[in-house]
Amino acid sequence: MKKIDVVLGLQWGDEGKGKVVDVLTPNYKVVARFQGGPNAGHSLHFGDKSFVLRTVPSGIFREGSMNIIGNGVVVDPVSLTEELRNISEQGVPVKDKMLISKKAHVILPTHRMLDAASEAAKGKSKIGSTLKGIGPTYMDKTGRNGLRFGDVLAHDFIDRYNRLKAKHVAMLAQYEGFEYDITEYEAEWFKGIEYLRGFKFVDSEHEVNKLIDEDVAILAEGAQGSMLDVDFGTYPFVTSSNTVCAGVCTGLGVAPTKIGDVYGIFKAYCTRVGSGPFPTELFDEVGEELRRIGHEFGAVTGRPRRCGWLDLVALKYAVMVDGVTGLIMMKSDVMNDFDTVKVATAYKINGEVVDHFPYEVNDDLEPVYTEFKGWKCDICKVRRYEDFPAEFKAYVEFIEQQTGVPVKIISVGPDREETIIR
Ligand code: GDP
Ligand code: IMO
Ligand code: MG
């Protein structure tokens, strides 16, 4: 039996999961998404090509790979169709390389409207959702009202759709002043459903477990990040799924005993998009520099990402909850010209030094930083760990010592090639 390995984000998303999965795929036959939906935007760069994947697993471009959308994912037929058509235009035989779980829930046009109405009603305290209908779809799943992909094949699919839509329309009527028109989107949605009927709908838990028994190497790809997890993230400023490692078990139907290596990805600094606590956020020119050099703008929404120093308190928390066995550090090249690089190792809360992530983060919290001398050179061309400058190695080794987990991969640029595997 070959255990299933996992790649997931340890911060607030956008750590570089897409790139890492694409880099690791030659070692795996199957890549499976286990949660989230089109709120994700996973960027891939190879040669002169760039792609942003939202629901499709990031293994799709590797020859011979199989890609699974697991039961834990929520799928928008419009967005998935658009994505698959784009990939297909690249000559990738998507229909032969994709399996969709019958148990994956479907995002309805009215789910998106509910997301928008709910955010608008929250005003200043809005979550900063990507407005893809993620929250309302997961609410219908746990509320036992949802529509699943398997339902698309049922003879009374339209009735089921209309019943759920009617419920949403009644809910939307309660949002005073919220106007919407889904006519166009709904037409696209039904076209998407028709297109997707040409794909293989499966009970993916059976497929995945059969592959495990046959010793096939599988990589589970996470979306978002551990600090956006609905249970362990900075609630309520989180997404609506379990982004942590446990999500692999529920989102693919894999037993905990079948989880192998857990690769936790983090940026050498930290970003967050949308509202919510971010202890090490920088509001000065250093934050601006991180955003500018790191091109920190959302892959899905184009929103500027909030930037700050690496937060080891939050990172250690994520490592603990996820059971990370290997760390992957991304985007260190962004800080090439920095004189100093800082890392938060504790927080001061009302004058008291605390080394764990607290229940609530508010204005009384102040990060305690350890300062490092910058490496002040271009590390983008480095391909062996030995060749990194001493200052950079000191930074990496401090993170390893603090987390107790080895940094196994270092990324120094967006391209597949700009990767150092130790
Ligand atoms: P994901 O959601 O975790 O897949 O990450 P995103 O794709 O949303 O954001 C990561 C961004 O950083 C993308 O634009 C990547 O192309 C880029 N990127 C990934 N790794 C590196 C790196 O090591 N250095 C630099 N400069 N950019 C990187
Ligand atoms: P990837 O997979 C970064 C954030 C949103 C918002 C909150 C809730 O690319 O790392 P939602 O649309 O889920 O209701 O939004 O979560 N968010 C992400 N931030 N990367 C993502 O995905 C995200 N997916 C959701 O900005 O604050
Ligand atoms: Mg992203």
Side-chain angles (χ1 to χ4, degrees), residues 14-19 41-43 45 299 305 330-331 333-334 411-414:
D14 302 326
E15 297 88 351
K17 298 173 289 292
K19 164 172 172 169
H42 296 178
S43 319
H45 299 274
R305 293 175 183 149
M330 313 298 289
K331 300 190 89 161
D333 54 294
V334 170
S411 170
V412 291

Side-chain angles (χ1 to χ4, degrees), residues 137-319:
T137 308
Y138 279 115
M139 278 162 73
D140 268 339
K141 175 179 177 173
T142 50
R144 297 158 295 179
N145 295 306
L147 206 60
R148 300 183 293 172
F149 255 93
D151 298 334
V152 170
L153 308 172
H155 65 93
D156 63 344
F157 167 63
I158 297 291
D159 296 339
R160 295 186 197 193
Y161 170 82
N162 283 328
R163 270 202 299 277
L164 187 53
K165 179 183 160 185
K167 177 178 163 273
H168 292 163
V169 169
M171 286 163 76
L172 284 162
Q174 288 167 24
Y175 289 96
E176 218 171 291
F178 183 79
E179 288 178 19
Y180 64 99
D181 178 4
I182 57 163
T183 325
E184 237 173 81
Y185 199 84
E186 194 178 42
E188 283 303 307
W189 192 89
F190 277 108
K191 276 191 214 158
I193 291 282
E194 281 318 305
Y195 173 75
L196 293 173
R197 274 184 205 278
F199 282 76
K200 292 187 193 105
F201 294 172
V202 296
D203 287 310
S204 57
E205 64 278 26
H206 286 300
E207 301 288 330
V208 170
N209 280 287
K210 194 164 145 271
L211 290 164
I212 291 174
D213 289 340
E214 289 168 355
D215 281 341
V216 174
I218 307 175
L219 184 64
E221 174 183 5
Q224 289 81 54
S226 302
M227 299 311 284
L228 286 171
D229 180 273
V230 66
D231 281 278
F232 302 105
T234 43
Y235 194 89
F237 299 98
V238 293
T239 190
S240 298
S241 65
N242 280 118
T243 60
V244 296
C245 190
V248 177
C249 299
T250 55
L252 290 174
V254 172
T257 48
K258 293 181 181 170
I259 303 283
D261 276 320
V262 181
Y263 298 106
I265 311 190
F266 67 102
K267 281 181 201 177
Y269 49 97
C270 208
T271 66
R272 167 160 210 173
V273 59
S275 335
F278 181 1
T280 59
E281 181 168 13
L282 292 167
F283 300 94
D284 58 6
E285 58 279 13
V286 180
E288 281 294 330
E289 285 288 275
L290 287 170
R291 188 174 311 112
R292 186 181 62 77
I293 305 169
H295 305 289
E296 295 297 355
F297 295 89
V300 174
T301 58
R303 290 178 293 177
R305 293 175 183 149
R306 300 155 63 192
C307 297
W309 296 120
L310 180 63
D311 185 342
L312 276 178
V313 183
L315 194 75
K316 285 197 307 204
Y317 178 68
V319 163

Side-chain angles (χ1 to χ4, degrees), residues 96-129:
D96 303 332
K97 297 188 70 170
M98 276 263 311
L99 301 175
I100 305 172
S101 170
K102 283 187 201 163
K103 297 186 179 77
H105 278 246
V106 188
I107 303 175
L108 269 58
T110 38
H111 278 132
R112 290 165 57 100
M113 295 304 108
L114 284 165
D115 214 355
S118 154
E119 280 283 85
K122 282 193 169 128
K124 267 190 149 170
S125 57
K126 71 174 184 181
I127 289 162
S129 161

